[in-house]
Amino acid sequence: MVSFLSQLNPTPGFPSYTGPYKVGSTDVEIPTSELPSPSPTPDPSISTVSFRIFYPSEPPVKHSKPVYWLPEPQQEYLGAYKSTFSPSPCLHNITGGTQREASAGKYGDKKMAGHAPDHRDGSSPLSCIREKPGSDPRYVEYRSISHQQSPEVEQARDDQLKIRLWELGLVHEALLKIDRGEPLTNTLEDTPADATRNLGMFTSSLDVHSPGSISWSGHSFGAASVVQFVKSAFYHTAKGAPTSYEPLYQPSASSQIAHQITPSTPVFLLDLWCLPLLSRLTRWLHDLPLPCYARGGPGGGNLLAILSEAFFKWNNNLIELKRTVSENPSSGTPENKTHPAPYIFYPASSAHLSQSDFGILFPWFTKKAFKAQDPDRTLRLNTRAILEVMRRNAIEVADTSAIDMEESAAGTEKPVAHIGQDAKILKGDGNVTGWVSLDLGKSAYAEEAVNRRTSENADPMDAVVQGEMRKSTSS
């Protein structure tokens, strides 16, 4: 693996987007001292918050700079990936995941802004902290933590979640200030003048102030972070919590994020990794339903979970995911008795890495090593489903292209009338090739009776390796 990574182009760019808008991108890093924190700081050494904004734009001039996967300093990031190869879990407006999430860019061409944070919790091979414009970066290196549950692992994951949730709250505060046109320092700029000027293009252009106007999405550990974050904000009063409850993140009642998260808040979970939600400190929130099930909410109508085939075959995690997205997560049997069920799908022959950037940036390797088929199509299917859930919840998004709808070939695309209703992507009736719908019931879907190809207590790497590498050795 390391020898393979040593040959990678350190600056690959994302494939072309298929929506009606061009996609612009800018990296942002803001000192935490310039932002109000909705909750106490978990680690004072993290002095900035970092994220990437993908946004719809006018057609670029010739020779415009492509969006690169690795931010600066790219050689240092590549070296970290070579020494620590581990899939990193990974706004209208949509936020979540990691700074290099191509899926966030796929919303930029659909008339939305995507905001992808760069977490400094030690879950990425490397992340940087730049205190001021032009300064040398300070590095936060990868922290190796087991994926098997134990008191020590629970504590370590709780510590990471504290940082992640706090960072998400700060990203939200930053977006509010950016939209209001308030001066902020972007430490990634070369000069102080540039640092306070270039964010001005987003003034009064982000729909981030109205309650429920932001959608939240994450992949793997990022998906677990999103679940914990929206619940922490929605249940910020901790009403009914036991005296032993110690919240990882508890925004104040007067904070903007406490008003932003409502039953109408859309949530999209890609390959949700459930273990971080099952610790002593996260269990109380785990047993409460997601905000969509509160009074006045749409039930599962604004909740979408998409798995890879590898995570579908990981039985324990699959059952726990279904509990998490059900109206009663504390129940032994996942089911919705009084609310519409959430949408749950998986693309056939998809790898865990297919849900992230890696598959589309290095498709040859993903196919060779994991037998994953067409990772770009996997992301397009995911995006189609997310966009249609948004449409059904009265969120304005751009039309889905004929290419994405698989109604025309690349290079022959023509506008398709009334394409906004992409109804078949959420029907789950088999009319979309390789797009498999799952029932919320524990064993209601036929194939779920034979999905035990990995051990009951597998960790994510076991699920990926046993479920995917096995294909490679048997082919």
Side-chain angles (χ1 to χ4, degrees):
M1 178 64 70
V2 172
S3 62
F4 166 76
L5 283 173
S6 66
Q7 302 174 44
L8 291 182
N9 174 6
T11 58
F14 296 133
S16 298
Y17 297 113
T18 56
Y21 294 90
K22 298 296 181 181
V23 179
S25 170
T26 188
D27 291 328
V28 182
E29 186 168 358
I30 298 171
T32 58
S33 59
E34 298 184 8
L35 300 169
S37 179
S39 70
T41 301
D43 186 345
S45 70
I46 304 175
S47 55
T48 65
V49 63
S50 176
F51 55 100
R52 176 176 285 181
I53 304 177
F54 294 90
Y55 54 92
S57 65
E58 296 297 326
V61 296
K62 292 183 179 180
H63 310 300
S64 61
K65 183 179 179 181
V67 178
Y68 290 127
W69 183 48
L70 296 181
E72 297 292 346
Q74 291 173 341
Q75 289 296 335
E76 284 79 356
Y77 272 97
L78 181 63
Y81 273 92
K82 287 166 60 178
S83 61
T84 315
F85 183 77
S86 176
S88 178
C90 87
L91 271 187
H92 138 120
N93 290 272
I94 186 162
T95 188
T98 65
Q99 190 184 57
R100 292 166 296 282
E101 284 288 347
S103 54
K106 280 187 172 289
Y107 306 118
D109 70 339
K110 306 298 191 303
K111 203 178 179 179
M112 294 178 288
H115 310 277
D118 185 18
H119 292 300
R120 277 70 170 278
D121 61 336
S123 61
S124 296
L126 185 73
S127 56
C128 299
I129 297 176
R130 297 171 182 82
E131 305 282 353
K132 57 185 179 180
S135 65
D136 292 332
R138 178 162 50 89
Y139 297 112
V140 179
E141 297 183 347
Y142 177 73
R143 181 184 177 192
S144 180
I145 302 173
S146 171
H147 293 91
Q148 293 286 1
Q149 199 162 17
S150 71
E152 294 75 20
V153 169
E154 285 189 3
Q155 179 63 57
R157 295 300 180 190
D158 285 346
D159 290 344
Q160 288 184 316
L161 274 175
K162 287 178 182 179
I163 294 172
R164 285 167 163 256
L165 306 182
W166 172 72
E167 288 173 327
L168 288 173
L170 288 178
V171 171
H172 175 249
E173 290 290 345
L175 294 175
L176 296 176
K177 283 199 166 192
I178 290 171
D179 184 71
R180 289 194 293 258
E182 298 180 21
L184 288 170
T185 302
N186 184 358
T187 65
L188 297 180
E189 299 289 357
D190 294 329
T191 68
D194 290 337
T196 58
R197 181 178 62 238
N198 292 340
L199 293 177
M201 64 178 173
F202 297 110
T203 300
S204 300
S205 63
L206 304 175
D207 183 11
V208 292
H209 300 281
S210 302
S213 61
I214 300 175
S215 301
W216 301 84
S217 175
H219 172 246
S220 196
F221 194 11
S225 303
V226 164
V227 170
Q228 190 71 17
F229 182 76
V230 298
K231 285 187 176 184
S232 296
F234 190 71
Y235 297 108
H236 63 274
T237 62
K239 183 178 180 180
T243 56
S244 60
Y245 176 58
E246 302 174 31
L248 302 181
Y249 177 75
Q250 189 172 26
S252 66
S254 61
S255 66
Q256 293 298 314
I257 194 61
H259 296 283
Q260 174 59 226
I261 305 297
T262 73
S264 63
T265 296
V267 173
F268 309 115
L269 307 173
L270 306 177
D271 258 358
L272 170 64
W273 178 39
C274 296
L275 183 144
L277 303 176
L278 303 176
S279 75
R280 180 182 66 85
L281 298 185
T282 57
R283 173 63 75 170
W284 181 72
L285 275 180
H286 168 272
D287 289 348
L288 296 177
L290 284 159
C292 60
Y293 293 115
R295 179 176 297 180
N302 63 357
L303 177 56
L304 169 67
I306 303 176
L307 296 79
S308 64
E309 185 172 340
F311 267 44
F312 161 69
K313 293 174 181 175
W314 182 11
N315 193 62
N316 270 12
N317 195 76
L318 174 63
I319 294 173
E320 197 56 58
L321 175 144
K322 290 186 174 186
R323 289 196 186 103
T324 300
V325 299
S326 72
E327 66 184 17
N328 184 10
S330 64
S331 172
T333 302
E335 60 181 345
N336 276 18
K337 294 182 178 180
T338 59
H339 296 90
Y343 301 102
I344 310 175
F345 295 91
Y346 79 85
S349 300
S350 59
H352 185 58
L353 293 177
S354 300
Q355 306 284 19
S356 68
D357 301 340
F358 200 92
I360 59 171
L361 290 167
F362 310 110
W364 178 88
F365 174 76
T366 307
K367 182 177 181 179
K368 195 73 174 178
F370 302 124
K371 295 299 178 182
Q373 300 297 319
D374 199 349
D376 185 49
R377 181 174 187 264
T378 296
L379 285 187
R380 283 188 278 114
L381 290 171
N382 292 357
T383 304
R384 284 178 60 186
I386 290 171
L387 291 173
E388 185 58 21
V389 170
M390 287 182 168
R391 292 187 188 104
R392 295 188 182 190
N393 286 274
I395 297 171
E396 183 181 356
V397 296
D399 291 348
T400 300
S401 71
I403 290 177
D404 287 348
M405 288 280 289
E406 301 177 342
E407 295 185 0
S408 74
T412 63
E413 182 176 10
K414 296 180 180 179
V416 178
H418 310 298
I419 203 69
Q421 298 300 319
D422 188 4
K424 65 181 182 180
I425 194 66
L426 296 182
K427 279 186 176 179
D429 56 5
N431 284 329
V432 179
T433 303
W435 182 243
V436 185
S437 175
L438 303 183
D439 193 282
L440 188 62
K442 183 176 180 181
S443 298
Y445 183 71
E447 288 189 22
E448 293 186 34
V450 294
N451 74 345
R452 301 170 186 267
R453 301 185 191 177
T454 56
S455 66
E456 290 289 317
N457 297 313
D459 68 26
M461 191 55 67
D462 289 336
V464 172
V465 172
Q466 292 182 26
E468 298 173 4
M469 293 296 282
R470 178 177 297 173
K471 299 177 190 176
S472 181
T473 58
S474 63
S475 62

